[in-house]
Amino acid sequence: MLQNLKLDTTAEKNVKTWLKGKYDEETKTAIQKLIADNNATQLTDSFYKNLEFGTGGMRGEIGVGSNRMNKYTVGAATQGLANYLNKAFPGQEIKVAIAHDSRNFSPEFARVAADILSANGITVYLYKELRPTPQLSFTVRQLGCQSGIVITASHNPREYNGYKVYWVDGSQVVAPHDKNIVAEVNAITNVKDIKFKGVKKRIKMIGEVLDKAYLKAVKSISVNPRMIKRQSDLNIVFSSIHGTGITMVPKALAQLGFTNVNIVEEQATPDGNFPTVVYPNPEEQEAMSLALKKAQATNADLVIATDPDADRVGMAVKDPKGEWQLLNGNQAASLIIYYLLKAWKKAKKLTGKEFVAKTIVTTDLIDEMAAKAGVNCYNTLTGFKYIAQVIRELERQQTFIGGGEESYGYLIGDKVRDKDAIASCAMIAELTAFAKDQGISLFDFLAEMYQKNGFYYEGLISLTKKGKTGAEEIQQMMVDFRAKPPKSLAGSKVIRMDDYKALTTTDLKTGQTTDIPSGKMGIESSNVLQFFTADGTKFTCRPSGTEPKIKFYVGVRAKLKKKDEFDATLASLKEKVKTIQTELNLV
């Protein structure tokens, strides 16, 4: 029957291996059913390759097969990690912390990983129940672990799950360990090489003690507890969108002193099927609709929501017309930094040895505000592991205030080394209370930030190019931009090009080229191009590392003289982004 399906060679070979190999009967029965149903499409997609374990881990649809998330692909990843840990830390007691989110099979995959690590002589600290990703990062540091694992697929659709690996400082793995782990995982070519039988005494269940320690760390980031006391009844609507945020966000807000937190009950129960949303992503209006409805009904001051593993947070503010508006990641990151810089200055905590960090595709408004405050701002490649790298390299030299990236991930303080939606929710609530304490709305606070520093707007153009021809087209676009940089963007002359692949900066007026320092501070060779114009526009080209897409980030700015010119200024900036898109034919 298998021959009749006409699978490609690799898929057919993998199907036969799984049917003959040391796989459980439930798995083999599921494969046989696909064959009996003549489901060639699903069989091909499930077996035509091995699920790729990349430099940060892996992510894929749940199901049987070499290209799916299941106990065997999780097993191979974990065995490879165990092999590398035993090589990297010879003669030491190796400790690994494991957490998981609310997705289907997340608890089971976490247990599989714990069993395999324990079978390889490694001590495992396994959370009894679901916990946020940032708490795992904190736990790695708190318990002195060499590594950590989170079973999560972030805000992907319900069909997905994933596996993220962390290193000794609580950040996602970076070079050289990332590539070394990948090599060890790829070396697992036979299911017999995976030690599935766990050693109970090496698996230690954790929970309440670490919860308290993490919540204490979150509380420590607060800059203005007295002000919170005055505004303790701030009306906050919170949704965990069926994820892990429900375990920590309400506790963190209560601990800071907020007494009026209204939870979106329809989304409060952790559920990997995410029954109330299409995508469990707080960036999406649809995923936020129930929270916005509750905010309207309760006349809330703030709406916040976390994604399933609670490393990203979305927020909404009420505009002068009484309508709720979602803020994008650049706006939220800017507001957090604006408040922190203001609060640190008032508390006389700025000594000249503080810094903030962000990615190169995140708004330059943060650079502007940091410079005015006399605070260093470091720009890294896309990915929070690079921000964590900067924090690590500046430890005991400079103090990290906070930072973030445009994709809705922020971090305050250095006790966690990854995006932290729990701490971010706490800080967003605090800055909203601060605005209210000043007698203004959160929207007014946003407008004040733009009036003082310039109105920055960032547009994202994402083009999908599937298949082999799509990949070739994306590469050709990057070649063309390098060979023929645009001469102007929306009427302003392009004066500089930064090439992160060549690690060079070129002054397009003089042709002079200088090197971009690499190997530290979150910078290494990467296929990214940036162009800067005389009027301050920034245009970035970046192929996605995980999807068949090329992304263009367009940053524009203007002056905001008066708050009531907000809408008109925003409209003109959006129009400028559209003009650039048309000029460059990005369709």
Side-chain angles (χ1 to χ4, degrees):
M1 285 178 71
L2 190 58
Q3 287 77 10
N4 297 336
L5 291 172
K6 296 180 180 176
L7 304 179
D8 75 38
T9 308
T10 305
E12 186 173 336
K13 180 186 171 187
N14 285 337
V15 169
K16 287 177 180 176
T17 298
W18 280 55
L19 287 173
K20 292 176 184 175
K22 199 178 176 183
Y23 296 85
D24 62 66
E25 287 308 312
E26 188 180 352
T27 295
K28 292 181 180 180
T29 300
I31 297 169
Q32 291 286 11
K33 187 176 186 310
L34 290 173
I35 295 170
D37 291 345
N38 287 316
N39 201 332
T41 302
Q42 194 169 333
L43 270 170
T44 298
D45 197 38
S46 300
F47 285 96
Y48 83 99
K49 64 173 184 176
N50 292 332
L51 186 62
E52 185 179 349
F53 190 95
T55 54
M58 63 184 183
R59 192 176 296 183
E61 290 186 41
I62 301 163
V64 297
S66 58
N67 190 36
R68 292 285 185 263
M69 280 290 295
N70 51 62
K71 67 178 283 190
Y72 298 105
T73 51
V74 167
T78 309
Q79 186 62 55
L81 175 62
N83 290 348
Y84 182 65
L85 287 169
N86 280 319
K87 288 178 182 177
F89 302 100
Q92 297 183 38
E93 182 198 2
I94 301 170
K95 298 182 286 187
V96 177
I98 302 177
H100 67 82
D101 70 5
S102 60
R103 287 179 177 274
N104 296 327
F105 292 97
S106 281
E108 291 86 348
F109 293 158
R111 187 73 210 197
V112 166
D115 284 342
I116 292 167
L117 290 170
S118 70
N120 283 273
I122 293 168
T123 300
V124 178
Y125 293 95
L126 176 65
Y127 269 101
K128 294 174 189 174
E129 300 170 311
L130 76 168
R131 286 295 182 269
T133 287
Q135 188 169 342
L136 183 279
S137 171
F138 172 82
T139 302
V140 169
R141 296 174 58 76
Q142 186 78 359
L143 298 180
C145 296
Q146 285 88 346
S147 185
I149 298 168
V150 180
I151 304 297
T152 179
S154 191
H155 51 267
N156 272 47
R158 60 179 63 90
E159 297 84 10
Y160 285 77
N161 212 323
Y163 183 107
K164 291 203 292 191
V165 180
Y166 289 75
W167 206 241
V168 291
D169 68 333
S171 74
Q172 288 192 57
V173 284
V174 293
H177 309 295
D178 50 4
K179 289 181 178 142
N180 292 343
I181 293 168
V182 170
E184 291 289 349
V185 172
N186 291 340
I188 307 297
T189 56
N190 194 316
V191 71
K192 291 178 183 176
D193 297 333
I194 304 170
K195 300 176 182 177
F196 281 107
K197 194 172 167 80
V199 179
K200 225 177 204 180
K201 66 180 182 180
R202 292 200 186 106
I203 302 174
K204 304 178 191 303
M205 306 304 291
I206 56 175
E208 191 177 348
V209 173
L210 272 300
D211 290 349
K212 287 179 178 176
Y214 173 65
L215 286 167
K216 184 180 178 183
V218 172
K219 187 178 182 181
S220 72
I221 68 171
S222 177
V223 192
N224 209 333
R226 285 184 183 177
M227 178 272 298
I228 292 175
K229 201 169 184 181
R230 291 194 297 271
Q231 299 296 336
S232 61
D233 64 344
L234 185 79
N235 189 344
I236 303 168
V237 169
F238 167 67
S239 175
S240 56
I241 316 182
H242 305 290
T244 61
I246 196 66
T247 65
M248 289 293 138
V249 172
K251 290 177 183 176
L253 293 173
Q255 184 179 249
L256 260 66
F258 292 106
T259 59
N260 190 12
V261 179
N262 296 287
I263 294 168
V264 180
E265 296 296 342
E266 302 96 316
Q267 297 178 324
T269 303
D271 188 337
N273 291 314
F274 309 113
T276 65
V277 297
V278 178
Y279 298 107
N281 185 353
E283 300 175 35
E284 303 285 343
Q285 183 92 24
E286 182 267 338
M288 297 285 278
S289 60
L290 288 173
L292 294 172
K293 185 179 176 184
K294 193 176 189 76
Q296 196 71 44
T298 59
N299 193 28
D301 297 303
L302 171 68
V303 173
I304 44 178
T306 51
D307 69 343
D309 69 323
D311 65 350
R312 286 178 167 89
V313 57
M315 64 181 289
V317 304
K318 194 187 289 183
D319 68 18
K321 300 170 196 162
E323 295 174 1
W324 284 93
Q325 305 289 339
L326 297 187
L327 296 192
N328 63 38
N330 284 301
Q331 290 173 311
S334 298
L335 267 178
I336 290 170
I337 298 302
Y338 180 56
Y339 169 70
L340 284 169
L341 292 173
K342 188 185 280 276
W344 277 54
K345 183 179 180 181
K346 189 174 181 182
K348 297 182 178 176
K349 292 175 68 176
L350 295 180
T351 67
K353 292 186 176 179
E354 290 74 33
F355 74 99
V356 298
K358 69 179 190 68
T359 64
I360 58 174
V361 297
T362 301
T363 179
D364 288 344
L365 172 55
I366 293 173
D367 302 73
E368 176 80 17
M369 294 188 295
K372 283 183 178 177
V375 169
N376 291 319
C377 180
Y378 296 98
N379 283 268
T380 75
L381 292 178
T382 305
F384 231 88
K385 64 182 181 180
Y386 294 113
I387 291 176
Q389 184 183 359
V390 172
I391 298 171
R392 183 171 64 250
E393 289 173 5
L394 292 176
E395 266 181 318
R396 292 182 289 279
Q397 300 171 51
Q398 295 183 36
T399 302
F400 177 66
I401 295 175
E405 57 186 6
E406 44 70 46
S407 55
Y408 294 70
Y410 326 108
L411 177 62
I412 301 98
D414 65 356
K415 290 182 170 62
V416 168
R417 299 297 170 88
D418 200 2
K419 302 180 290 289
D420 188 345
I422 314 303
S424 298
C425 283
M427 189 51 64
I428 289 166
E430 180 169 325
L431 70 86
T432 306
F434 175 81
K436 195 171 185 181
D437 202 53
Q438 305 295 306
I440 62 174
S441 70
L442 185 52
F443 182 89
D444 292 334
F445 196 50
L446 179 73
E448 175 191 295
M449 175 183 71
Y450 286 142
Q451 281 177 268
K452 289 187 176 180
N453 301 285
F455 199 142
Y456 285 68
Y457 172 74
E458 291 75 31
L460 173 62
I461 303 158
S462 185
L463 304 183
T464 300
K465 307 281 184 181
K466 292 184 178 179
K468 183 172 179 287
T469 54
E472 289 169 353
E473 195 176 339
I474 287 171
Q475 290 310 310
Q476 190 57 49
M477 289 175 88
M478 294 300 289
V479 168
D480 292 344
F481 272 116
R482 279 191 174 89
K484 294 179 181 177
K487 287 189 166 45
S488 66
L489 295 171
S492 183
K493 192 173 181 182
V494 176
I495 58 173
R496 186 178 118 209
M497 177 177 79
D498 288 359
D499 186 340
Y500 283 90
K501 188 175 183 182
L503 291 168
T504 57
T505 294
T506 304
D507 184 327
L508 295 174
K509 292 182 288 185
T510 65
Q512 185 177 357
T513 296
T514 54
D515 292 336
I516 297 173
S518 67
K520 59 180 182 176
M521 301 303 285
I523 297 296
E524 60 188 18
S525 180
S526 182
N527 191 17
V528 180
L529 281 171
Q530 287 194 308
F531 302 95
F532 302 84
T533 72
D535 72 353
T537 295
K538 180 173 76 173
F539 175 71
T540 307
C541 320
R542 175 179 164 264
S544 171
T546 56
E547 301 172 285
K549 290 180 179 179
I550 182 166
K551 296 181 178 182
F552 302 96
Y553 305 79
V554 188
V556 292
R557 67 188 188 193
K559 287 184 179 178
L560 180 64
K561 294 175 183 174
K562 295 184 291 185
K563 187 182 77 174
D564 58 11
E565 293 178 358
F566 188 100
D567 289 346
T569 306
L570 178 59
S572 70
L573 290 172
K574 286 183 175 179
E575 192 58 41
K576 189 171 182 179
V577 170
K578 281 184 184 174
T579 298
I580 292 169
Q581 181 177 7
T582 303
E583 285 176 351
L584 297 176
N585 195 30
L586 302 179
V587 290

